[in-house]
Amino acid sequence: MQDLLRRTLRLALVSALVAGSAFAVPQSQDPPAPTADPAKTPSSAQQPAPSQTQQQTGSQPVQQKDTVTPKNSKEDVEAIGNRSVGKGVNLFSLEREISLGKSLAQEVERSSKMIDDPVVTEYVNRVGQNLVRNSDARVPFTIKVIDSDEVNAFALPGGFFYVNSGLILRAQEESELAGVMAHEIAHVAARHGTKNATKGELMQLASIPAMIFIPYSMAGYAMYQGLNLAIPLTFLKFSRDAEREADFLGLQYMYKTGYDPNSYVTFFERIQADEKRRPGTIPKVFSTHPPTPDRIENTQKEIARILPAKQEYLVTTSEFDTVKARLRNIMFSRKVTDNAAGKPTLRTKTEQSKKQPTGNDPNSSDDDRPTLKRRPDSQP
């Protein structure tokens, strides 16, 4: 029974990890801005005006109220860190969750290529830790950068957080990168990974009595198949609910940290624009999340409803541009090194046929093609 539970837990956690990668988007070459400490918020000269930001996406900033009246603590951004986010049925203690996340993180790092540049990693970590301090998370975070062109980020249970270099190069402003990171931090704060695993574990246990009493016949086999089919559908609904909650909480975390919440919308709009321009480029991971137009609309409503207006927001910094350029150079240098002369390469058959001349041309300059020549002293 324990082995069954362990296997079930592993499968459920993998599902939760995939569901957590909600921000995977088509590849692009624009990097995100480095997150700065709100106490070091740049002057207005360093921050593009809201109108400039919105001209890039075609939407207008959401109008916010000067004061709001939260209905409960979950809507009160001033109560962040002192509210019951993450409560619910969960078979994992925080200590066990951290231990589990650590083991999963080791697997990720064994199979992934990491960015170890100190400037890039320190900046991304600082942006993330700044958001963590303004969140409901109750575990310490370890934040690292993966060398991958895929525009994605994901957080494992226990605060082990990975940001792909492709995401950094995709964001146009620091606040957009912060929005994606805040969303993933919200998954950890709400303990979605271990809650999902708990739900899967309980469903497996609940199905055991039904399996015992189902007769071994064609009808019984069909009923058993029906039980198995119900599990993925339940996870699909749960994942969508978890994504809505992560959107809701992540928006609050970036706002609390000092970032412009409208950047959350601009990032979604860019995803939507990419999909319209190149249909089918949105990763399949989005099939388990609310449709992008719905997420845009819901985010705009929450900005207007629960976030009181501020005189100014942190949009981006010069450090963001510096780190983005540095990371781009690192990625370019690695590609040049990987394609350097002297390294073994594979050539397609088509490429070889293009280089080979037709017929037996003795003047061929193709050094890759072996040729036979008669020795001068040989007899005819």
Side-chain angles (χ1 to χ4, degrees), residues 8 12 15 196 199-207 211 224-239:
T8 302
S15 301
N196 202 23
K199 190 172 185 179
E201 188 171 325
L202 293 176
M203 289 187 66
Q204 289 287 343
L205 291 173
S207 69
M211 292 166 60
Y224 177 65
Q225 289 293 93
L227 285 174
N228 283 343
L229 182 61
I231 295 176
L233 292 178
T234 301
F235 279 142
L236 179 63
K237 178 64 167 61
F238 173 80
S239 295

Side-chain angles (χ1 to χ4, degrees), residues 39 57 62 70 121 123 154 190 216 252 274 282 297 319 324:
T57 61
V62 177
T121 55
Y123 167 75
F154 62 90
Y216 291 97
Q252 296 181 44
D274 286 339
I282 299 297
E297 182 180 356
E319 188 181 12
K324 180 175 181 177

Side-chain angles (χ1 to χ4, degrees), residues 26-102:
Q27 297 180 6
S28 177
Q29 299 303 319
D30 293 326
T35 312
D37 194 318
K40 300 179 181 179
T41 301
S43 63
S44 58
Q46 293 177 286
Q47 302 182 32
S51 59
Q52 293 176 334
T53 300
Q54 297 306 322
Q55 285 174 0
Q56 298 173 359
T57 61
S59 70
Q60 295 299 320
V62 177
Q63 295 298 318
Q64 297 171 251
K65 302 176 183 178
D66 292 333
T67 58
V68 297
T69 304
K71 296 180 180 179
N72 50 56
S73 62
K74 197 172 182 179
E75 296 183 358
D76 187 0
V77 292
E78 298 302 325
I80 289 176
N82 298 304
R83 49 192 190 176
S84 57
V85 171
K87 297 293 184 180
V89 178
N90 197 325
L91 299 180
F92 293 79
S93 65
L94 285 175
E95 291 74 17
R96 186 183 172 197
E97 181 171 326
I98 294 173
S99 177
L100 174 64
K102 184 176 182 179

Side-chain angles (χ1 to χ4, degrees), residues 10-252:
R10 177 70 61 177
L11 292 175
L13 284 174
V14 171
S15 301
L17 173 59
V18 173
S21 303
F23 276 91
V25 299
Q27 297 180 6
S28 177
Q29 299 303 319
D30 293 326
T35 312
D37 194 318
K40 300 179 181 179
T41 301
S43 63
S44 58
Q46 293 177 286
Q47 302 182 32
S51 59
Q52 293 176 334
T53 300
Q54 297 306 322
Q55 285 174 0
Q56 298 173 359
T57 61
S59 70
Q60 295 299 320
V62 177
Q63 295 298 318
Q64 297 171 251
K65 302 176 183 178
D66 292 333
T67 58
V68 297
T69 304
K71 296 180 180 179
N72 50 56
S73 62
K74 197 172 182 179
E75 296 183 358
D76 187 0
V77 292
E78 298 302 325
I80 289 176
N82 298 304
R83 49 192 190 176
S84 57
V85 171
K87 297 293 184 180
V89 178
N90 197 325
L91 299 180
F92 293 79
S93 65
L94 285 175
E95 291 74 17
R96 186 183 172 197
E97 181 171 326
I98 294 173
S99 177
L100 174 64
K102 184 176 182 179
S103 64
L104 293 174
Q106 291 173 346
E107 295 182 12
V108 169
E109 294 181 29
R110 276 196 298 266
S111 60
S112 304
K113 188 175 183 180
M114 310 303 294
I115 294 290
D116 55 7
D117 180 80
V119 174
V120 175
T121 55
E122 188 279 331
Y123 167 75
V124 174
N125 180 67
R126 176 157 35 90
V127 171
Q129 298 297 347
N130 204 18
L131 290 162
V132 171
R133 285 193 293 271
N134 290 280
S135 75
D136 297 293
R138 294 191 291 156
V139 295
F141 270 68
T142 301
I143 305 173
K144 297 184 180 181
V145 181
I146 293 178
D147 184 350
S148 171
D149 291 334
E150 182 181 358
V151 183
N152 197 15
F154 62 90
L156 298 170
F160 296 88
F161 187 5
Y162 296 91
V163 178
N164 284 6
S165 56
L167 172 61
I168 301 173
L169 296 176
R170 181 66 180 96
Q172 293 184 356
E173 297 168 341
E174 181 174 311
S175 53
E176 291 185 353
L177 173 62
V180 176
M181 296 182 74
H183 174 95
E184 296 303 325
I185 290 169
H187 276 301
V188 177
R191 307 188 69 191
H192 288 154
T194 49
K195 281 184 179 179
N196 202 23
T198 295
K199 190 172 185 179
E201 188 171 325
L202 293 176
M203 289 187 66
Q204 289 287 343
L205 291 173
S207 69
I208 292 176
M211 292 166 60
I212 293 174
F213 291 107
I214 289 176
Y216 291 97
S217 63
M218 290 305 294
Y221 178 76
M223 292 173 63
Y224 177 65
Q225 289 293 93
L227 285 174
N228 283 343
L229 182 61
I231 295 176
L233 292 178
T234 301
F235 279 142
L236 179 63
K237 178 64 167 61
F238 173 80
S239 295
R240 292 189 175 189
D241 288 345
E243 289 306 319
R244 291 189 182 96
E245 184 176 25
D247 283 343
F248 181 77
L249 295 174
L251 186 66
Q252 296 181 44

